[in-house]
Amino acid sequence: MKQLVKRVLLIIVVIATFTLTCHAQSFWDIGLDCEEYIRQYDVPSELQNLPKNKVAEFWWKRHWYDKRIDKALTAKSKAAKNAINEYTISCNYITQNIKPSKYCDENYKGLINKLNDIFDFHRIDVHLEVHVMPDNEFNASTYPTGFIAINTGLIEKLDTMEIVAVLAHEIQHFIGKHSLNRIYAIRKKERNNKVWAEIGGAVAATAYAYAGAVNSQYTSTPNNQYAKNIILASGAFDSDAYLATSRYKMRYSREQEIEADIAAYRFMQFIGADPKIWIGVLDKIAAMEGYKKTSKKNDHPSAVFRKKILLAIEKYDKKKK
């Protein structure tokens, strides 16, 4: 009887640990190659084939294809409600505290007008605004309110068409409601991981109770190594649940960047520009990053990783023809 109970308990721990490990590892898109990323996040061909004067439609019609947005906005779960509440609070804070630089906007008025001629920002979304910020960092930022900030440090190192590619990337972050989607996904995973942690706790409690019962009947040593090992193994669920959440955050960031990168590449194609302009920008970012590769410790994919996916698009398109 003792051996049977041991085996049953061990099977429970092994199965549960294996399931959680696979659950966490899946967040790393294990086995996904570049073409698989492209298939998942490519711009629908219907949009790529729109008339060239339908620039705004290239962006707002994408809502029709993004079921994740509708899911986040219409879900009635606690995770969804919390996510929408956090999203709303963030938008209110941004509206009140993030202000454009009137001096920079005036100084770079010619550039902003050129960009607006290409994108027609307000036709894409009435809330979409692009402003230049006095910051030497090579960066552009997208806020969920539609406020896109381009730093002077970026403008000084790129030409107009490179900035167009950067903006296309940033607009996809806004149009795809990446802020809301990320908050919603994290809240869902935190909820799921709490369940796993509870399962781990239950297994630990069962193991402890069983070990105590066995020890009282068959041994005079109440704290034998078997009891310690089984409790340690089952107690790992708590840390694994937390780790799965942190890994999921990284994966979601990776998805967002890949989706925005591909949208920028396709938009450059759409307007008749060389899509490799965006790859060239990633080259510059890669040099600034020291050509580092993406690792499991990164919460953001490296430019080298992102460039590799975009370089595969040309081959991917030839296969489709």
Side-chain angles (χ1 to χ4, degrees):
M1 182 65 182
K2 175 183 176 182
Q3 292 300 321
L4 177 62
V5 177
K6 275 187 180 181
R7 289 177 182 176
V8 171
L9 184 57
L10 185 59
I11 289 171
I12 292 173
V13 173
V14 170
I15 291 175
T17 304
F18 175 78
T19 303
L20 180 58
T21 302
C22 291
H23 189 61
Q25 286 180 343
S26 70
F27 298 154
W28 289 93
D29 293 325
I30 291 175
L32 279 178
D33 58 17
C34 292
E35 289 191 10
E36 183 62 26
Y37 275 119
I38 297 166
R39 278 192 290 272
Q40 285 192 38
Y41 304 115
D42 201 3
V43 173
S45 58
E46 295 93 323
L47 301 186
Q48 296 176 45
N49 296 325
L50 283 170
K52 300 304 178 185
N53 63 337
K54 301 290 185 181
V55 172
E57 282 83 343
F58 177 91
W59 297 104
W60 60 256
K61 282 191 175 181
R62 296 201 68 182
H63 286 295
W64 299 352
Y65 299 90
D66 198 341
K67 295 179 181 178
R68 290 169 301 173
I69 295 174
D70 292 335
K71 187 175 181 181
L73 291 173
T74 60
K76 297 179 180 178
S77 67
K78 186 175 181 180
K81 291 177 181 177
N82 288 342
I84 293 172
N85 184 51
E86 285 184 41
Y87 181 77
T88 303
I89 291 172
S90 297
C91 288
N92 290 339
Y93 178 85
I94 291 163
T95 301
Q96 294 170 13
N97 295 280
I98 309 297
K99 304 295 182 183
S101 167
K102 292 182 180 179
Y103 171 80
C104 283
D105 281 355
E106 186 61 34
N107 197 35
Y108 289 94
K109 187 175 180 180
L111 173 63
I112 293 175
N113 287 340
K114 284 182 183 178
L115 296 173
N116 191 53
D117 288 342
I118 293 172
F119 288 98
D120 199 355
F121 298 120
H122 285 175
R123 281 203 63 211
I124 295 174
D125 190 284
V126 69
H127 300 293
L128 194 60
E129 297 179 354
V130 175
H131 299 281
V132 177
M133 304 299 281
D135 192 321
N136 290 328
E137 184 182 2
F138 185 91
N139 195 27
S141 306
T142 305
Y143 297 93
T145 55
F147 185 108
I148 297 179
I150 312 174
N151 289 354
T152 52
L154 181 143
I155 292 174
E156 290 167 3
K157 292 182 175 64
L158 301 181
D159 62 32
T160 301
M161 291 311 294
E162 287 175 322
I163 295 171
V164 168
V166 170
L167 272 180
H169 175 94
E170 297 301 325
I171 288 171
Q172 177 53 39
H173 281 313
F174 171 66
I175 289 295
K177 281 193 169 52
H178 284 174
S179 297
L180 174 59
N181 277 316
R182 180 167 184 171
I183 294 170
Y184 178 45
I186 290 172
R187 291 296 161 261
K188 283 174 62 181
K189 290 304 163 187
E190 285 178 348
R191 172 60 185 165
N192 290 344
N193 290 330
K194 283 180 182 178
V195 172
W196 279 111
E198 288 168 4
I199 291 174
V203 173
T206 303
Y208 187 82
Y210 165 70
V214 169
N215 290 337
S216 65
Q217 294 179 45
Y218 299 102
T219 178
S220 59
T221 308
N223 294 315
N224 62 31
Q225 192 59 46
Y226 169 74
K228 290 181 180 179
N229 289 343
I230 203 71
I231 292 170
L232 285 172
S234 54
F237 277 90
D238 288 316
S239 59
D240 282 348
Y242 172 78
L243 189 58
T245 299
S246 62
R247 284 176 175 173
Y248 181 79
K249 290 178 183 179
M250 191 275 180
R251 171 185 180 262
Y252 198 78
S253 176
R254 192 176 287 191
E255 288 178 348
Q256 291 175 335
E257 294 305 322
I258 291 169
E259 183 178 39
D261 282 343
I262 294 174
Y265 184 99
R266 291 303 192 190
F267 181 76
M268 298 303 282
Q269 282 183 321
F270 176 74
I271 63 175
D274 185 354
K276 291 181 181 178
I277 290 173
W278 178 232
I279 296 177
V281 175
L282 289 178
D283 260 333
K284 294 181 180 181
I285 297 173
M288 294 175 195
E289 292 178 345
Y291 298 100
K292 69 178 182 181
K293 296 181 180 179
T294 297
S295 73
K296 292 183 178 182
K297 294 181 180 179
N298 299 133
D299 62 354
H300 193 87
S302 69
V304 170
F305 177 88
R306 294 158 62 188
K307 177 185 171 183
K308 182 180 178 182
I309 293 172
L310 296 185
L311 286 172
I313 291 180
E314 192 172 350
K315 181 180 177 181
Y316 173 79
D317 288 347
K318 287 179 180 178
K319 281 186 178 181
K320 286 178 66 178
K321 291 180 179 179

